[in-house]
Amino acid sequence: MSYPPPLYDGDTGEVSAWLLPAGSEPDVVYPNGNKVRYLATGESTGRTYGLYHWEFAGPPSGPDAHFHRTLTESFYVLAGEVSIYDGTRWNTTRPGDFVHVPAGGLHGFRNESGPASMLLHFAPGAPREAYFEGLARVAAGETMTDAERDEFMRHHDNHWVD
């Protein structure tokens, strides 16, 4: 295996790092108290990946089984317990546990035992922000027809499994 093609071809490097301080305000707050911080968006990483800090407030929540056609998704549990579906069963994960789901892999996640937090990593860096924000609007009472919901999910590469 070799390294991929260069993303930068300069000779001296450049000043391009950024810092998001701990304690920054969340970018999305759901009506149930869940919070999402955008650590690195697909846009900010040249579409190479997206990284999000997800905090479950406490009431059980999270998506059921689904898959993505265009991206991989990884989970790294920071605090509490998160149930993650691996395509065959729900697994209780704890701080330090890591789960990777290749494109097409069945998965879901939810908290069932109180507050928890995790990192969500998507590669390549799809624009997940609009998906999180749309879900928050629906949770706050915005309505969608079945056709609008189907289009929203298709647009954001979420394919639900019955």
Side-chain angles (χ1 to χ4, degrees):
M1 181 173 167
S2 62
Y3 278 88
L7 298 174
Y8 173 77
D9 60 4
D11 293 325
T12 61
E14 64 184 22
V15 177
S16 55
W18 77 89
L19 167 69
L20 180 63
S24 300
E25 291 297 315
D27 294 283
V28 179
V29 178
Y30 289 83
N32 67 358
N34 289 354
K35 299 174 185 172
V36 183
R37 287 181 56 217
Y38 302 163
L39 303 178
T41 65
E43 184 176 347
S44 70
T45 66
R47 302 275 180 237
T48 56
Y49 73 95
L51 184 63
Y52 305 87
H53 180 212
W54 187 278
E55 283 186 63
F56 292 104
S61 63
D64 288 328
H66 63 284
F67 66 93
H68 309 291
R69 295 180 191 280
T70 63
L71 50 87
T72 67
E73 186 170 359
S74 298
F75 305 86
Y76 183 78
V77 180
L78 299 170
E81 294 182 346
V82 179
S83 294
I84 298 181
Y85 183 66
D86 67 4
T88 59
R89 68 184 185 92
W90 288 92
N91 300 277
T92 301
T93 61
R94 294 175 179 82
D97 287 344
F98 174 80
V99 177
H100 176 73
V101 183
L106 295 172
H107 65 286
F109 62 89
R110 59 185 179 215
N111 66 315
E112 297 174 318
S113 61
S117 66
M118 64 183 176
L119 296 176
L120 290 173
H121 179 270
F122 296 95
R128 297 306 280 173
E129 304 81 35
Y131 177 70
F132 297 143
E133 293 162 12
L135 291 180
R137 288 192 306 275
V138 169
E142 185 177 299
T143 59
M144 287 186 193
T145 66
D146 288 344
E148 289 169 334
R149 178 178 158 69
D150 290 348
E151 173 57 22
F152 177 80
M153 293 300 170
R154 185 202 60 73
H155 178 76
H156 292 290
D157 189 24
N158 264 46
H159 306 280
W160 300 99
V161 179
D162 296 329

